[in-house]
Amino acid sequence: MHINNMLTTLEQFATAQGKNIVYDDLFIKHTYADLKRDSDAIAAYIDSLNLTPKAPIVVFGGQEYEMLATFIGLTKAGHAYIPVDANSANERLLSIIEIAQPAAVIAIHDLPLELTTVRVIAEKTLKLAMHKATPYALTHAVADDETYYIIFTSGTTGQPKGVQISHNNLLSFVNWVLTDPAFALPNQPQMLAQPPYSFDLSVMYWAPTLAAGGTLYPLAKAQSANLKTLFEFLPRLTIQVWTSTPSFVEMAMLNDEFNAVNMPTISHFYFCGEELTVSTAAKLHERFPNARIVNSFGPTEATVAFSAVAVTPAMLASGERLPIGHIKADSPTYIVDENGLEVPRGTQGEIIVTGPAVSKGYLNNPDKTKQAFFQINGLPAYHTGDVGHMDADGMLYYGGRMDFQIKFNGFRIELEEVAFVLKLSKYIDNAVAVPRYNADHKVQQLLAYVVAKPAAKTEFDKALQLTMAIKQELQNEMMDYMMPSKFIYVDALPITPNGKVDIKTLIAEVNNK
């Protein structure tokens, strides 16, 4: 199967299988005909507002059907959408609006603060528009190299970066998943929809599912927040394909009932977003011995992933770090040294990806775009900042980060950004964030080394009290997943000969290297 346009494909499904379920949240089911009707109505409403053509629009919410309908409606109306999760810190939402300069914000969830610089469309207004069921013709929809969506990732100076993904970028990724034997995507896949839409791993579930006429089973954050609530809902989802970070499946495996006997419909596991360890994959294979476990790899800037492999028993038996896959056919990938020269097979270097899935760059950020994006052999290329090597058979292996960017619980975190936000605290003079790795080379804990201000030392009797005060002060400045779990108070941080904080020494000390 191969598609040429996301929207026309959905139009065809609305006609050919309009009664089929596209979104099943256990409480209400929505069909492909519903999705066409509602997205048409949203597109017509957006057109009626006479917003700046092609300007991006922020969509704030969770895993609701209305989020999906809004995304498609905006795409039909020719606007890129920017998903912002309802659990985001206020400061992040404000930063995204400042950088993106959107034409509007559509609030599927109530906004946590008042926005005065941008037009806000409330859920009530959106639903009134949907109820009008206005027919719509695709005359100026997002197409070709126009931006389809924008995902904001972490930034190194406290400012997030908006990765622009075009319709062509998206098609490159979707058609790979639809056709590559590593994924072996089922017909009309029944797919778990757990990662938030603001995390590009979500594209791995919604895009192939819609392109193949399947069904999405959303799992909201409140339903997956802990084991108890997770297993109130999870066994009721008749999913075939599980898409998540390895961390989320590890959480599920804390419950012994998560196995093929109790969830016999699961036949595929797709992983991306962080490293899949041998121990996690082996444990999962024991629980679901007949399921396909797919390990994939790629940055947001190259549209979700560009390499994938189905994990074999031999890979698990070797005990070695799992490979991250063969490269997708349209995305030539190179391993280069510090001078940008290609290294021999088997030699480690930076992973450079090229091809039609590579983003056009960061929204309204030409300097960062110029640093990360370039061209090789006439193709758009991206510096991943990831280290790896390729074996003689073209299999790619991951070797860690070049810089201080880490993956923790599936989220990409830049240590400099954590430090930047920590230093906003009135109690902190200086701070750095340091990852602690486990035996599988995976981040298991994020630590903060902090030099407290003298006044803070006298204000609080115990370090724990100071830590709690800092966390409370910064709760709206920093996403939960970025907040270090342990604070270590020191009189001074180590300094390099260049006068910079010597974070490499701290990382080595924490990890006993």
Side-chain angles (χ1 to χ4, degrees):
M1 184 180 179
H2 186 279
I3 69 166
N4 297 311
N5 186 289
M6 285 295 294
L7 295 179
T8 57
T9 298
L10 285 172
E11 296 283 297
Q12 290 163 7
F13 285 139
T15 301
Q17 56 171 57
K19 293 183 179 180
N20 285 21
I21 305 301
V22 66
Y23 221 72
D24 184 349
D25 69 1
L26 295 179
F27 303 106
I28 186 169
K29 295 174 170 59
H30 296 275
T31 66
Y32 275 86
D34 294 337
L35 186 59
K36 173 178 169 49
R37 181 197 65 226
D38 294 336
S39 59
D40 279 355
I42 291 170
Y45 170 69
I46 294 297
D47 281 354
S48 75
L49 300 179
N50 295 316
L51 302 173
T52 303
K54 305 298 180 182
I57 293 177
V58 167
V59 187
F60 181 83
Q63 301 297 96
E64 299 85 1
Y65 162 77
E66 287 78 14
M67 290 286 282
L68 184 67
T70 299
F71 297 156
I72 296 167
L74 290 174
T75 308
K76 288 180 174 181
H79 293 271
Y81 61 87
I82 303 172
V84 178
D85 189 64
N87 297 291
S88 297
N90 292 354
E91 189 57 41
R92 181 173 177 82
L93 173 61
L94 292 173
S95 293
I96 289 172
I97 291 171
E98 181 183 350
I99 294 164
Q101 295 295 301
V105 173
I106 298 177
I108 306 298
H109 277 209
D110 290 339
L111 291 168
L113 69 173
E114 186 178 358
L115 300 178
T116 57
T117 61
V118 63
R119 181 175 195 151
V120 175
I121 301 166
E123 182 190 18
K124 182 179 178 181
T125 304
L126 190 76
K127 286 191 171 180
L128 285 173
M130 288 166 64
H131 287 317
K132 291 182 180 178
T134 310
Y136 193 81
L138 297 178
T139 59
H140 54 281
V142 171
D144 303 326
D145 286 323
E146 293 175 341
T147 304
Y148 196 99
Y149 66 80
I150 299 161
I151 295 279
F152 272 80
T153 67
S154 178
T156 55
T157 59
Q159 292 295 311
K161 295 176 290 190
V163 182
Q164 303 173 90
I165 299 298
S166 71
H167 185 252
N168 282 346
N169 293 154
L170 182 60
L171 287 179
S172 171
F173 170 73
V174 170
N175 284 317
W176 174 54
V177 177
L178 292 178
T179 59
D180 195 285
F183 291 97
L185 186 73
N187 294 326
Q188 297 182 313
Q190 308 296 293
M191 187 90 77
L192 176 69
Q194 180 269 326
Y197 288 114
S198 58
F199 183 11
D200 79 322
L201 180 54
S202 66
V203 181
M204 188 174 278
Y205 65 72
W206 69 253
T209 301
L210 296 185
T215 306
L216 293 167
Y217 293 83
L219 195 63
K221 184 171 182 178
Q223 297 169 338
S224 61
N226 56 61
L227 271 183
K228 183 178 183 296
T229 57
L230 177 61
F231 279 87
E232 285 176 10
F233 292 95
L234 194 55
R236 298 159 63 188
L237 305 179
T238 55
I239 55 173
Q240 291 172 296
V241 185
W242 173 292
T243 302
S244 80
T245 61
S247 290
F248 187 70
V249 87
E250 286 169 5
M251 174 182 165
M253 285 193 291
L254 292 174
N255 190 315
D256 293 337
E257 294 179 7
F258 185 64
N259 56 49
V261 174
N262 295 314
M263 299 199 68
T265 59
I266 300 181
S267 57
H268 294 63
F269 288 91
Y270 294 168
F271 294 111
C272 200
E274 65 182 348
E275 187 169 4
L276 176 65
T277 65
V278 171
S279 59
T280 298
K283 193 191 308 180
L284 186 62
H285 179 64
E286 288 177 11
R287 301 281 191 96
F288 295 85
N290 298 316
R292 188 178 197 85
I293 300 172
V294 179
N295 192 24
S296 64
F297 169 82
T300 307
E301 289 85 347
T303 316
V304 189
F306 61 85
S307 70
V309 62
V311 177
T312 65
M315 293 174 188
L316 298 177
S318 73
E320 299 291 328
R321 213 168 186 173
L322 292 175
I324 53 178
H326 287 288
I327 307 301
K328 61 199 284 271
D330 68 358
S331 301
T333 297
Y334 306 90
I335 310 296
V336 302
D337 62 19
E338 57 192 17
N339 298 314
L341 300 175
E342 198 168 357
V343 300
R345 290 287 175 99
T347 304
Q348 285 220 131
E350 184 189 5
I351 302 171
I352 303 290
V353 59
T354 75
V358 172
S359 165
K360 68 186 76 173
Y362 302 118
L363 180 66
N364 299 330
N365 196 335
D367 292 339
K368 292 293 183 184
T369 297
K370 188 175 180 181
Q371 290 173 20
F373 296 90
F374 61 113
Q375 283 204 338
I376 296 180
N377 300 327
L379 293 174
Y382 173 69
H383 283 285
T384 66
D386 290 297
V387 172
H389 73 273
M390 206 175 290
D391 69 14
D393 297 323
M395 184 71 82
L396 189 62
Y397 291 80
Y398 177 71
R401 287 294 302 169
M402 286 179 63
D403 53 17
F404 299 134
Q405 188 182 86
I406 62 170
K407 285 287 182 70
F408 185 40
N409 291 334
F411 293 97
R412 187 165 72 174
I413 298 172
E414 291 186 348
L415 300 179
E416 292 95 333
E417 183 182 10
V418 178
F420 175 87
V421 177
L422 286 173
K423 285 183 279 190
L424 296 177
S425 170
K426 63 185 177 184
Y427 303 113
I428 291 178
D429 238 344
N430 204 356
V432 292
V434 178
R436 173 177 282 150
Y437 295 88
N438 62 19
D440 291 316
H441 317 286
K442 184 176 177 181
V443 179
Q444 68 176 20
Q445 189 180 27
L446 189 60
L447 312 177
Y449 275 76
V450 173
V451 178
K453 290 184 176 178
K457 296 176 184 178
T458 57
E459 184 176 344
F460 299 95
D461 294 329
K462 296 180 180 179
L464 181 59
Q465 295 172 331
L466 175 55
T467 298
M468 291 176 65
I470 293 169
K471 288 185 175 182
Q472 185 172 1
E473 182 190 12
L474 299 178
Q475 64 181 352
N476 284 325
E477 309 294 332
M478 186 185 292
M479 297 291 285
D480 288 347
Y481 64 81
M482 294 171 63
M483 183 66 74
S485 60
K486 184 177 181 180
F487 283 58
I488 300 167
Y489 295 95
V490 294
D491 293 328
L493 297 173
I495 301 297
T496 68
N498 293 332
K500 297 180 180 180
V501 174
D502 191 357
I503 189 171
K504 289 184 178 179
T505 293
L506 289 173
I507 292 174
E509 287 178 3
V510 165
N511 294 283
N512 298 316
K513 292 182 180 179

